[in-house]
Every structure is written in structure tokens, then in C-alpha cells.
Amino acid sequence: MTAKQSSWLLSAAVFANNAVAEEMPLNLTKGVTEISRNVYDLHMIIFYICCVIGAVVFGIMFWSMLYHRKSKGVAPANFHESTKVEILWTAIPFVILIAMAFPATKTLIAMEDTSKADLTVQVTGSQWKWHYKYFDHELEYYSLLATTKDEIYDKREKSVNYLLEVDRPLVIPTGQKVRFLITSDDVIHSWWVPEFAIKKDANPGFINEAWTRVDVPGIYRGQCAELCGKDHGFMPVVVIAKEPAEFDKWVSEQVEIAKKAKEEEQKLLAMNMSFDELMAHGEKAYNANCAACHQPNGQGIPGVFPALKGSAIAIGDLGAHIDIVVNGKPGTAMQGYGKQLGLKDLAAIITYERNAWGNSTGDAVQAAEVIKYMSGQ
Amino acid sequence: MSTTENNAVDSNHHADDHHHGAPKGIKRWFLTTNHKDIGSMYLIFSLVMFFIGGAMAMVIRAELFQPGLQIVEPDFFNQMTTVHGLIMVFGAVMPAFVGLANWMVPMMIGAPDMALPRMNNWSFWILPFAFLILLSSLFMEGGGPNFGWTFYAPLSTTFSNDSTAFFVFSVHIMGISSIMGAINVIVTIVNLRAPGMTYMKMPLFVWTWLITAFLLIAVMPVLAGAVTMVLTDKYFATSFFDAAGGGDPVMFQHIFWFFGHPEVYIMILPAFGIVSQIVPTFSRKKLFGYSSMVYATASIALLSFVVWAHHMFTTGMPLAGELFFMYCTMLISVPTGVKVFNWVATMWRGALTFEVPMMFSIAFIVLFTIGGFSGLMLAITPVDFQYHDTYFVVAHFHYVLVTGAIFSIMAGAYYWLPKWTGHMFDIGLAKAHFWLSLISVNVLFFPMHFVGLAGMPRRIPDYATQFADFNAIISIGGFAFGLSQILFVVVVYKCIKGGDKVSDQVWEGAEGLEWEVASPAPYHTFSTPPEIK
Amino acid sequence: MENNSPKNNNKIVKKLVLTVALMFGFGFALVPLYDVFCDITGLNGKTSNTAAVTSDFVDTSRTITVEFIARTQGSLPWDFRPEVKRIEVHPGEMHELNFIVKNKSVNDMVVQAVPSVSPGIAAAYFNKIECFCFNRQPLEKGETADLGLQFYIDNALPEEYKIVTLSYTLFDISEKIEHDEFEQLFAGDTLSAP
């Protein structure tokens, strides 16, 4: 981490730095869907209503503050009750509210109508990434933050989409009704894309629905909106909207790639990777997937995330080690990575954990060993 | 005035005959059953908590000063936001109001003390232990609570750290303290009003506190239930909030906000009361629409029980539920509006002067109303999907709680400080405190509206670079606001130590029993009840 | 001041303390109340966890698409998928299908399936005659099983709902239940869900 002082010195540079970044809008986004535009209109109507009420009330008050001062020699009036006025200023806001309730209700009903969807995507939140699964295609993947630790810790310049970039964005077609079935694997998360005016909580064990129909192709960025633990600020949502034809092409490509990857893995089973190769690949994969909790130095965070350096698991029985990495530890933040990582990554990570930071078991773990624990044979 | 003044003086002498003033030494504070002593202790305690919670806010703002992680790690950042929230709500705002109630309610209704003085002593003295437990958990291995002051399950159950039990016990103790305080206030107001002090003659501060006390009695036990369920879910294998065992994590939110929304009004109704005392005094005119103020307060309190789910629009409620809670929430703005209109009508054609308490009250009216406007915006469900859990919400509730509740407490403190100490405070310093607070608090919270609308979620330790400029400004506002509060301590300290002697009435337009006793208020007041005409 | 007799105070204090106790109880009463509320409104898509009786009327004029989602929670190393992803049904018409499940771990495990229906309102009209979610499901390591579901959609389901999604999430409860219970489950006794 950079020293405290340097962060303060840097502060002057912050303003200059931001020139490259996107200018921050001062108002709610209009978004790219009919719903989001309705929401924007509602936002502006209620905002203007508040402005008018504010101008009237504060106007009267400031008038009074200017002209009804004791220093001007005024004598205080004596009135302190008027049923008529009271009724009036109860009734007027009431009428305004009713007028406001109509468009709000209409938009809300439209938002909740998830019928007749063209495409369904299952969205699953987990600490701290999103998982997308296309209901009618053999395609599913995790979407992880792509911003590097170095950028976060000020060791490298921050990219334009700092913290709002992922390795594999969700891709959806434009002009079609896309339905999202949202749920969670652990704690409550919330899937939010401002441009679609969608924010829905992902509740463990339950599914929530939302939908969108995007008009304009583009890249849309959002974030997890419900506090979900340590890296809540580091699980962005990125959605790419493509023309339907392009989308179809993309899907079939991806399905093909996924199939190939599976075949690759089968081949991998027959091969042995060298120790050095495993260590080199393992370090990368470890830092991408494990270091958020167990820390790059393997020392964890005392009381929260256990250390791996010198731990009974990492230098003890190999089987137990593979089992915990592949299948996780129920009831804790330790997820099973068998679901999300390939065999090569898993084998490399386990090798790395058993031989880094002074752990010196000398084990070189191969894909074939890992798969034993995935199939339960 | 003259007849009652004699009366008050008489009662002084009467009291002195028996008690010879306050006992001396440290024992006085541990064993005291005097409402003024206990009130002072509550106020000092809340001031200390205000600074501890404020220091955490400074840590938060320092980390958010620029993008990237510089000062604290995300897990500690979460502990800071959590404990900042808990301390400010349960340690600063609520005890400050209880302190003001202790001091002022008996004096306003012509009672010699609170009805249950010994319970009063206990309800204060368990409070420091609650916060010691909470704060000590920050130094435990694994750290303190890091799941937000709303402690949503399962983040606070299956996925929380080992200090959760300490969090639960400290919330239990805070709850017991609040409940005892509330019982005391109710019994005092119901039983100890001076002859002739009918309910509809009670000062508005007393009224709002009576209603607040009932709210406390109704919802603090529900909070106790919620934390108990969290405790058993985490340590005793129950499944209230665990889907695997037939529970539902969303149910936690329903139970929590069933407490949480009335809690919001617990923190603002006494503020309404204070402002309703101050505005007439410096307008030299009776409060406009006294009875409608009482009814508005009561209806806000009642409505607060049927709006809780507006905190949960994104959890996936059925449409009918969303509509119901949207309409009810919008409805709350009607009685709240009535209050603001009444204050403005009270000022209208008065003879205004702008002493420090009045300055804080006027700032309260304007800024609380801004918080009310953003509240109304948040009530509109479809738009709430965009605002929810962003800095727009953070701006909203800080306008309501800082420039609302805390400004009213400052106003009340400046208003009654001369009565408590017998000295006028340093007006120049107090004005400096006001203007610095007013400017910095707006630099602090106003830009948050924009940051929220632009899409920055709350409770994140790091953010996208486009939010950087605004966050830097917000942080500067935050540091300035934090530093400005040191002035308040100086003013209070100087005022206790000395200053110009004040008359019994203190403020020219002040009316009410508390202004008819001597300044400083003697250790025992109204040992014989005053006559109310 | 005659009001301030201890007797008078005690009366109010008693009432208030009673209120506090009642409200504490109410906090817990919210748990069953919430379930009742969910049953009526379909809040959160909780379906009933008791068997329904069969329907005797089939409304062939309407067709409803039922989609199935099968998930495993967190790190549970099980395969879990429905035989078919979606079927078309008429209200009142009985349907049966299997969910295929495999315990891929190296341990014997017990899971509980938690159903959730979206849109939530439809949960109240989703009648299950038989469901594996009524019971805890034990599976030995490496074992595969077919879990049966028998259901129909109630005729009263409002017209506007054309698609109903039923999701099952498997939760690992091996470590949450007593050791004896665990053994019993594998000995062949089926226990009903809590």
C-alpha cells in the first residue's frame, strides 16, 4: 500500500487525473430503454414539484425573515390558528400526491410485467462476482472484476473504466425482451444497471425477476448495490447489447468455445505439466481468484480469512487440500472452485499454495488428480 | 409572570431546606437520581459518542477522498460504516434527546423530578457499557461488526465474524436503556403534570416526546427480537433467516424495518418538538396551529408503522405490496408538510430576531425540508429502483438526521444552555459554530445527491474515477464539519465555567414553566407544583 | 402531585412493561405471520410445503409455460438438473417430472431442496401433490438419483400469468442436522422436512 503521506500529496494530482475519465453526469441517466426513460420522466416531475413547493415555502419564510424582523420595529401579530388554512394546506399536498401516484403506478405495473420474454438469463450473485447462465443455450460463465490490484492500490494508473470493467460481460440482444432470473449463492446482492433502470436483489434460495428491452447497442455498466461483505465495491456488472444477428453469432461462437474448452480439459488429463509451469500459472490464477481473501502473501486476514502459509491444509494431506479448493467449505466464505475454474487452474493453484511462501511440500498436482474430487470416484 | 416567579423561588428555598443542593464528589454522578444530573450525563455521553462516531466518519471520508485504497482495507471500512451508523443512531442522537427530555420535561410540566428516578439512573448507567462492548469488538481478532448498521441476514449470520455476539448484546443493552427511558418519560408525563396542565396545554416538546416514548416501547422490543434471532441463527442452529432450514432472509428485512422506520421518527419527532419551542420564542408569537401540530405528530407516528417496506422495494415484492407501501409513504409527507407550514406561519408577521438557537432552527426547517423532498422522491417506487442504495439515499438520511435531528439538538442546547448554567454562552463563537457548520454540512451532503444520481452505490470503499472530484469535495466538507464541532465543545465548556449572568426568562419572547424558575435552574425545582392558569 | 403516588406509577409501569413484553413476543410472532402472509400474497414466491389434493377439472382453453431451474447453493458439489427445461400445461392438468441429481463429492451428504416461484403471486396457485422438497434428501457419495415432482397449476391462476418459473435450490444440510438423524436418513427412513 502507498504511504499515507503520498496519498495526500497525490490529492492535487487527482483533479488533473480525472480529465481523462468520463465526466460525471449531474442527473439521473435517461437510460436506453422505454422503462428507464419513463423512470427518468417520473424523477424529473417529482423533482420539479419539490422545487415549486420549496420555492413557495422558503420564499414565504425568507420574506418573513426579511420584513418581519424586530429590528424593523414591527409588532408581532396575534393570530395563531386558522382551521381554513390548515385544511387547505392538508388538501393541496394530498391532491398533488394523487396526481403523482398515477404515472408512478403505471410505470411500476409495466416494470413488473415479465411475460412474453424472448430470452431468459439466470443471474447469480456470489461473493464477489456475478454468474450468467443462458436458459436456452449451453452457455454459462462467471463475470469477474477486471481491474487489477495494482490499480486499486495506486501502483499503476487507473484505467478509464476503473472498477467498472469485467473479464466476461453479459451479452444480450437489442430490441428483444430479455428476462433476468436473479438469485444468489451466499449473501444478498443486488444486480443494478442504471441505464436499464433495473435494480433487483439477489436473495439466496429465492428467485427474483426483472426484464429489459434495450434500444441501442452499447456497453452498459453497473454495480452490486447491496452490501455483501468485504469486496462489495468490487463486483461490477457489465452488459453488452448487440444487434440480434450479431448476438446469435456470438452465442453460437461461445457455445463452440465452451465445448472446445471441455475437450481441451479431457486431453489435459492425460498430460503432466512441469512443476515450474504449474507454479508460474498457479501464481497468476491464485492472485486472480484467491488473493482477495487469503491475500497475495498467503497470510489471510486474522480472524476473518485463514492464512495458507504454513496452514494444516496447505502443507497437510493433499486430498483434503484438493477437496476444500474444489468443493469449498460449507457455511463459510470458502466457495467450491470446481464449479468456476478449469482443471488446469485448479491444479496450478493447489500446487502453488503447497509450494509458495515457504510452504515446501514439493507436490506437483496434476489435473487428473483434481478430477477425482470433482466426480467423487 | 410575577406570581409564578415567586412560586419558583419559594420552591427553591423549600428544596434547599431538605437537601442543601447537590451532593459532592464522584459518588454524586454514580448514585444520582436527580433528573438534571442524569440529563447532563446523557448529554455529555452523547457528545462523546458524537465525536467517536464522527471520527469514524472522518476515516470513511479520508478513504473516499480519492479513488483507490490508501488508508484502510475494505473490511475495516465496512466496520467503520457499520459502527459509525450504530453509534450515531443509538449513541449520539437518541441519548441526546433522552438527555434533553430528562432536563426539560419535568421543568416544562411543573414536576419535581422524573417519576421513576432510580430507574432513570440505571437506564443511563448501562449505556456506557453497551458502547464499551461495541467499541471493544473493533479490537478483537476478526474485527467488529462489518455488515452495516442494518445487519441484513445472512451477512450478519452465516457470513459474519465472531464478534457478532458482542454486537447483539450491546444492542440488547441499548434497547433496554431506551425502553426504561421511554417508560420513565411516559409515567412522568401522565402522572406528574402540575395541576391545570392539561394534555392540550403541554408544550410541544413534551407532546412529541410522549409520542416518541410510545414508539420506543412499541418497536425497541421488536429490534431486540430481531437481534435475538440473528444470535440464535448464528450460534444455535435456528433457521429464521436461512432458506435451507425453511427460513427467509427477506423476512429479516421486514422485521428489521418494522423497527427501523418508526426508529427514524423516534429520531425526528423530538426534533420537531424542540423547533416548535424555539420558533415561537424568537418570533414573539404563539405557535401557529398548536393542536394540528399535535395531531400531525400523532399521525406521523401511526403512519410510521405501515411504511416499513419502502426500504425494501428492490427485494422483489408483489406489485400490490409495492403500490401499498408507495402510497402510504407518500401520505406521510402530508402531516410532515403541515408541520413545516405551521412553523412558517408562526414566523409570518412575527417580530423576528436571530439568536443562535433560532439560526439553528431556521437551518433545520430549510434543510430538513430538503431531506423531506428527497424522501418524497424516494417514495416513488419506480424511481426508487434507481435511487436505492446509492449516495442519493445517503444524502437523504443525512439531511434528515444531521441537519434535522442534530441541528435541532444543537438548537435545543443553545436554547436551554443559559437556563442550565445561568450564563450566556459566547455568542460570537456560537455564531461561528453555526455558520461553519451550516456551510460545511452542505458541502458535505449536498454533492452526495449528484454522486448518487450519477450512480455511485453506498457502502463502497472505492469508486470509479468519474466520481473522484465530487468525493474530494464531499470529504473536504466532512473534515470541515467535523472540525467545526470542536467549537461547540469550546462554547459549552466556557458557558459552564462562566459568562454573563442571564435573567430567569433568558430570551425575551420565551414562555413556559422552565423560564419561570431561576437561572441556573436550582438542583430541585417545583417541589410544590406551580399553578397553571 | 397526588398523582405521583407509587401506586399510581406502578399501575402505568406494569402496563408499559407488559406492552414491551408483548411487542417482544410480536417480533417473534412476525415469523409465522410472515409465512401466513406469504401463503396469501405469494410474497417472495414461497410455495406451500405440504402436499395438495388433486384437481378434478382441466381448463384446456389456456396454456401456461412452466420453466424449471435447478441450482445448487454455494459450493455444494452436486449435479442437479430437471429432465426438461420447460413444459406447456393446462390449468388443472396433472404433470410429473424428474429432477436428476448426483452427489459428486467424496462424502455422503444430505440436502434440502428449497422451492421458489416467480412471479411470486403464482406460488399460491402452484399445487404440488408430491415433491422431493417435502423431504430431506440423502445421497451417498457418487450416487445418482431421480427426484420426483408431481404438480398442477390451479385453475384460479390469474389470466395475465403466462409463464411460471419454478426454481429449486439444493442446500447442504449435512452438518446442520444431528448425527443420529443423518445416520437414520441413510438407513432408509425418510424424515419429513421441518
Side-chain angles (χ1 to χ4, degrees), chain A residues 3-276:
Chain A
K4 258 184 210 171
Q5 305 97 302
S6 68
S7 78
W8 290 105
L9 290 175
L10 268 172
S11 60
V14 170
F15 292 93
N17 246 347
N18 293 317
V20 281
E22 192 184 340
E23 203 51 25
M24 187 184 100
L26 292 177
N27 199 355
L28 197 63
T29 173
K30 274 198 178 107
V32 290
T33 70
E34 196 190 328
I35 291 284
S36 74
R37 280 188 295 270
N38 288 345
V39 165
Y40 173 83
D41 291 341
L42 275 176
H43 159 74
M44 290 317 290
I45 297 172
I46 188 77
F47 174 69
Y48 288 134
I49 290 176
C50 288
C51 286
V52 172
I53 299 174
V56 172
V57 174
F58 299 149
I60 293 172
M61 195 172 108
F62 284 114
W63 177 275
S64 181
M65 282 163 67
L66 282 177
Y67 294 98
H68 305 151
R69 296 165 165 263
K70 197 191 168 208
S71 55
K72 296 214 166 214
V74 294
N78 225 347
F79 67 88
H80 59 85
E81 223 152 17
S82 162
T83 317
K84 247 187 245 165
V85 177
E86 298 277 1
I87 290 174
L88 197 69
W89 68 37
T90 310
I92 293 176
F94 200 73
V95 172
I96 297 175
L97 289 181
I98 290 174
M100 193 58 224
F102 275 107
T105 306
K106 217 178 112 207
T107 307
L108 193 59
I109 290 171
M111 283 175 130
E112 296 291 328
D113 176 21
T114 51
S115 60
K116 295 193 203 105
D118 300 307
L119 177 75
T120 300
V121 182
Q122 280 172 254
V123 177
T124 310
S126 64
Q127 286 180 327
W128 291 277
K129 52 189 157 288
W130 294 100
H131 177 259
Y132 302 114
K133 182 174 183 183
Y134 292 81
F135 191 77
D136 287 307
H137 306 279
E138 287 299 311
L139 181 58
E140 58 178 302
Y141 53 87
Y142 282 89
S143 177
L144 279 88
L145 177 74
T147 303
T148 59
K149 289 253 157 205
D150 282 354
E151 285 174 74
I152 292 168
Y153 287 101
D154 293 338
K155 285 176 193 154
R156 260 178 52 194
E157 206 180 325
K158 296 179 178 17
S159 62
V160 180
N161 292 312
Y162 176 69
L163 294 186
L164 297 177
E165 52 197 352
V166 296
D167 56 350
R168 295 187 75 181
L170 174 68
V171 180
I172 57 170
T174 54
Q176 295 186 7
K177 186 162 183 174
V178 182
R179 187 169 66 123
F180 302 104
L181 294 169
I182 301 165
T183 186
S184 163
D185 250 353
D186 37 47
V187 300
I188 298 173
H189 304 269
S190 193
W191 197 75
W192 179 32
V193 183
E195 267 97 352
F196 305 165
I198 292 180
K199 187 184 284 143
K200 263 283 186 261
D201 287 3
N203 299 320
F206 298 89
I207 49 171
N208 260 330
E209 279 188 271
W211 68 273
T212 192
R213 190 195 304 272
V214 181
D215 301 334
V216 200
I219 303 173
Y220 305 107
R221 297 170 199 277
Q223 278 176 276
C224 174
E226 181 62 62
L227 178 64
C228 56
K230 181 173 82 67
D231 282 352
H232 162 56
F234 304 92
M235 54 181 292
V237 175
V238 181
V239 182
I240 298 181
K242 286 181 193 254
E243 300 283 356
E246 267 183 75
F247 171 76
D248 290 340
K249 204 176 126 215
W250 178 85
V251 169
S252 42
E253 268 171 25
Q254 293 300 314
V255 171
E256 203 51 39
I257 292 172
K259 221 188 260 167
K260 281 232 176 82
K262 260 198 191 139
E263 285 164 14
E264 278 300 305
E265 266 194 352
Q266 292 304 314
K267 275 188 219 155
L268 197 69
L269 290 180
M271 293 192 323
N272 271 346
M273 285 168 77
S274 78
F275 181 78
D276 292 340

Side-chain angles (χ1 to χ4, degrees), chain B residues 75-250:
Chain B
D75 191 59
F76 189 72
F77 181 90
N78 288 345
Q79 294 173 35
M80 286 291 103
T81 53
T82 304
V83 182
H84 164 76
L86 289 167
I87 285 190
M88 287 307 198
V89 168
F90 295 104
V93 174
M94 289 170 69
F97 282 134
V98 179
L100 290 173
N102 255 296
W103 253 104
M104 302 319 297
V105 166
M107 277 163 71
M108 285 176 156
I109 60 172
D113 202 317
M114 297 295 275
L116 310 161
R118 242 160 309 171
M119 192 165 88
N120 206 6
N121 174 293
W122 298 335
S123 75
F124 172 76
W125 275 112
I126 59 175
L127 213 47
F129 295 98
F131 285 92
L132 270 181
I133 293 172
L134 181 65
L135 288 170
S136 67
S137 73
L138 283 174
F139 300 97
M140 290 172 56
E141 194 179 82
N146 56 7
F147 28 68
W149 85 276
T150 52
F151 58 106
Y152 279 10
L155 190 59
S156 61
T157 55
T158 319
F159 295 85
S160 65
N161 50 24
D162 291 337
S163 67
T164 308
F166 290 84
F167 157 79
V168 169
F169 291 134
S170 87
V171 171
H172 270 309
I173 300 172
M174 294 170 203
I176 290 167
S177 162
S178 293
I179 288 168
M180 293 205 294
I183 289 177
N184 215 337
V185 168
I186 294 174
V187 179
T188 306
I189 295 174
V190 172
N191 274 356
L192 293 193
R193 276 169 295 122
M197 174 67 83
T198 58
Y199 281 108
M200 289 313 270
K201 276 188 186 163
M202 291 193 316
L204 227 89
F205 179 69
V206 179
W207 252 119
T208 52
W209 239 111
L210 181 63
I211 292 167
T212 303
F214 276 108
L215 281 181
L216 278 166
I217 296 232
V219 300
M220 289 311 283
V222 177
L223 173 69
V227 289
T228 307
M229 287 183 233
V230 164
L231 186 78
T232 58
D233 259 20
K234 182 162 176 66
Y235 297 100
F236 302 106
T238 58
S239 294
F240 289 108
F241 311 126
D242 183 1
D248 183 344
V250 176

